Amino acid sequence: MICQEQFDSFCKKLLRNHVRNYERYLRRNRRRECFFEDVCKDHRLQQCFSVPPYGEAYSFRVMNMDVLVKNLILGAALEDLEDERRDIVLLAYFFEMTDQEIAERLNLIRRTVAYRRGSTLKQLKKFLEAYADD
Amino acid sequence: MIKNEYQYRKKTNCKDKQSLLSKKLIFAAIRGEEIALQIVVQHYDRYIDRLVLRELYDGYGNIYIYHDPVLKTELQNKLIEGILKFQVLE
């Protein structure tokens, strides 16, 4: 009989102790936990990764490079252009290439690039002015 | 013998709280016999069930009673572990 009671109390004590350990473990964790929203604002975490602003930006693809345009109005204007002309504008103003370099990449002569760039800028200006008037 | 007890406990579902496990069963469990261990775990199942209840509060102060399945498994493992280490003092 003594042995049985011993065993019973041993088992119960074991279980109770483990529950206490578990609660202590949870409490310790809770002290160190914080909301993900708060962590996101911490600059130390922001150094570790960056969130690509997809969905809020226009993205174009030129010569296997992605260009993200955050300004929605400008993005819409660029989207409106023909592909060839848009490529020239992107290469010239986003990658800061000269007309000569662009011409070599696109198999055109320099004068064509210069002309298209100029006329495309006018087109963009017209689009943006129309938007501004609205 | 142990098998008989197992079936008997299963049949009666061991309703009375005060009942202690028999000596034979305890020794069998300490030796690590599987059926005996099953009976012991079954015997303490309701005790464990009561221990793993946890109160959770939401933002409005409502209380939820939560049955923690992780803790329950941990407890059962701990129990088996403990039984095997148990030493009978005469």
Side-chain angles (χ1 to χ4, degrees):
Chain A
M1 199 62 190
I2 291 170
C3 161
Q4 290 166 337
E5 279 163 2
Q6 238 176 41
F7 185 77
D8 188 56
S9 75
F10 169 79
C11 289
K12 284 181 176 169
K13 207 194 294 168
L14 185 98
L15 294 172
R16 275 201 307 272
N17 285 347
H18 188 72
V19 170
R20 208 172 53 221
N21 283 346
Y22 185 75
E23 276 166 4
R24 197 178 295 154
Y25 160 80
L26 284 184
R27 233 178 293 137
R28 193 171 59 230
N29 274 6
R30 209 173 299 139
R31 265 209 302 278
R32 293 173 187 168
E33 278 167 3
C34 59
F35 289 110
F36 188 64
E37 302 155 22
D38 299 340
V39 176
C40 280
K41 285 174 197 153
D42 198 325
H43 68 277
R44 282 172 298 183
L45 186 76
Q46 279 177 356
Q47 287 171 350
C48 301
F49 68 92
S50 68
V51 182
Y54 284 113
E56 288 187 18
Y58 284 86
S59 91
F60 303 105
R61 203 164 173 78
V62 184
M63 291 169 41
N64 293 327
M65 293 180 285
D66 278 322
V67 183
L68 286 177
V69 182
K70 261 193 175 176
N71 189 328
L72 295 179
I73 304 164
L74 185 61
L78 284 169
E79 184 120 71
D80 204 43
L81 297 172
E82 301 149 38
D83 287 354
E84 289 174 14
R85 287 170 179 270
R86 192 197 309 139
D87 287 354
I88 291 172
V89 172
L90 290 175
L91 289 176
Y93 298 108
F94 284 81
F95 295 107
E96 300 188 340
M97 288 162 72
T98 62
D99 288 353
Q100 187 65 44
E101 285 168 340
I102 296 170
E104 282 167 15
R105 300 278 152 80
L106 298 180
N107 294 326
L108 298 168
I109 54 173
R110 192 190 60 77
R111 293 236 274 166
T112 317
V113 174
Y115 172 75
R116 282 193 186 165
R117 189 163 53 81
S119 67
T120 313
L121 281 184
K122 271 179 204 157
Q123 219 174 311
L124 275 178
K125 192 180 171 192
K126 211 185 282 174
F127 187 95
L128 291 175
E129 272 174 357
Y131 185 84
D133 288 342
D134 288 348
Chain B
M1 188 65 196
I2 291 167
K3 251 184 189 168
N4 285 345
E5 182 157 353
Y6 183 50
Q7 277 158 4
Y8 165 75
R9 281 184 177 278
K10 248 191 167 175
K11 226 184 282 169
T12 54
N13 214 358
C14 207
K15 277 283 176 339
D16 49 341
K17 269 186 188 172
Q18 297 301 318
S19 73
L20 288 170
L21 296 163
S22 70
K23 239 175 192 178
K24 226 173 220 149
L25 196 103
I26 291 169
F27 285 122
I30 293 166
R31 279 199 304 275
E33 284 180 30
E34 198 178 320
I35 300 165
L37 285 172
Q38 269 177 23
I39 297 169
V40 176
V41 171
Q42 191 66 38
H43 184 254
Y44 288 105
D45 194 50
R46 292 201 289 167
Y47 189 71
I48 291 174
D49 271 344
R50 219 197 57 207
L51 284 175
V52 299
L53 293 180
R54 284 177 43 221
E55 292 180 353
L56 303 179
Y57 298 88
D58 69 4
Y60 303 101
N62 297 324
I63 304 178
Y64 296 93
I65 303 293
Y66 174 57
H67 186 267
D68 195 339
V70 178
L71 181 55
K72 183 167 181 177
T73 333
E74 269 183 34
L75 282 177
Q76 284 172 342
N77 289 337
K78 204 86 190 170
L79 181 61
I80 294 170
E81 213 177 284
I83 291 166
L84 296 178
K85 275 187 225 157
F86 182 74
Q87 280 172 353
V88 185
L89 303 170
E90 289 298 340

